[in-house]
């Protein structure tokens, strides 16, 4: 299973990514988590990453690729991955396709989780109480939602045109969202078998 999870902040991609990885026995690779770990490790690179994250801006593509490529390469060799939070713009989508081609793997689907901005904002503000994340503040949340709409949003038509987009309503509790994703992916597998 090789899946991408495309979702605005607060749509539940971390939760769903973990569940889908356990369900399909592949590695869950969360771009934001790997970048946060790199930021915590410090050094020049870590400080640079942290500066982008605290503002809610995207980390430069080359840094993201340098951090993610080893994890994706290892996971592909192990049978697949759920890649959550990458790609987040068109150049990254092209780089992701090139990487997949180099590794000799093809994407099965791109799961797009959507929910209204008001729902996402409320969830993120609730999460802010316990997340301890530097980017879970009202101003930065607003900015992250704008970055998603302007920069990541264009990936929805991009993957729709490629016939691999699976759009799921994320304005429901986690269990029905998981069930919807699984039903849609099972449908794809059956269609591919015919
Ligand atoms: P997330 O944990 O997915 O909400 O990501 C948190 C932050 O990490 C984002 O606001 C960006 O600063 C950074 N980030 C995560 N994934 C990417 C990516 N694919 N490209 C650039 N920056 C990213």
């Amino acid at each position: 299973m090789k899946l991408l999870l495309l979702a605005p902040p607060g749509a539940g991609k971390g939760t769903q990514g973990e569940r889908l990885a356990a369900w399909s026995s592949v590695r869950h690779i969360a771009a934001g988590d790997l970048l946060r770990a790199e930021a915590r490790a410090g050094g020049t690179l870590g400080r640079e990453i942290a500066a982008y994250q605290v503002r809610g801006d995207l980390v430069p593509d080359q840094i993201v690729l340098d951090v993610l490529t080893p994890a994706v390469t290892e996971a592909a060799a192990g049978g697949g991955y759920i890649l959550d939070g990458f790609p987040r713009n068109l150049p990254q989508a092209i780089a992701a396709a090139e990487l997949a081609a180099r590794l000799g793997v093809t994407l099965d689907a791109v799961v797009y989780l959507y929910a209204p901005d008001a729902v996402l904002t409320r969830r993120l503000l609730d999460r802010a109480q316990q997340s301890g994340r530097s980017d879970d503040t009202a101003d930065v949340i607003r900015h992250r939602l704008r970055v998603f709409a302007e920069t990541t949003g264009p990936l929805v038509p991009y993957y729709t045109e490629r016939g691999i987009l699976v759009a799921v309503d994320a304005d429901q509790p986690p269990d029905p969202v998981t069930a919807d994703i699984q039903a849609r992916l099972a449908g794809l597998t059956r269609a591919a078998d015919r």
Side-chain angles (χ1 to χ4, degrees), residues 75 91 107 120 146 191:
L107 264 187
L120 301 171
R146 197 162 53 232

Side-chain angles (χ1 to χ4, degrees), residues 80-91:
Y81 46 80
I82 311 287
L83 197 40
D84 134 11
F86 174 86
R88 255 169 147 110
N89 59 26
L90 226 39

Side-chain angles (χ1 to χ4, degrees), residues 110-166:
V110 176
V111 175
Y112 169 46
L113 301 176
Y114 61 89
D117 272 9
V119 170
L120 301 171
T121 304
R122 182 168 30 79
R123 284 187 191 166
L124 289 164
L125 287 172
D126 285 348
R127 185 178 81 183
Q129 317 284 336
Q130 63 265 7
S131 78
R133 275 177 55 162
S134 60
D135 56 355
D136 277 347
T137 62
D139 283 352
V140 180
I141 286 169
R142 209 171 307 118
H143 182 61
R144 286 160 64 208
L145 288 171
R146 197 162 53 232
V147 169
F148 181 85
E150 289 170 3
T151 311
T152 312
L155 297 186
V156 173
Y158 175 85
Y159 287 117
T160 303
E161 278 162 25
R162 280 156 186 77
I164 52 172
L165 195 89
V166 170

Side-chain angles (χ1 to χ4, degrees), residues 66-78:
D66 288 348
V67 170
L68 286 182
T69 300
V72 174
T73 304
E74 194 185 299

Side-chain angles (χ1 to χ4, degrees), residues 89-113:
N89 59 26
L90 226 39
Q92 288 184 12
I94 292 162
E98 283 166 2
L99 176 61
R102 211 159 56 235
L103 297 173
V105 299
T106 31
L107 264 187
D108 296 302
V110 176
V111 175
Y112 169 46
L113 301 176

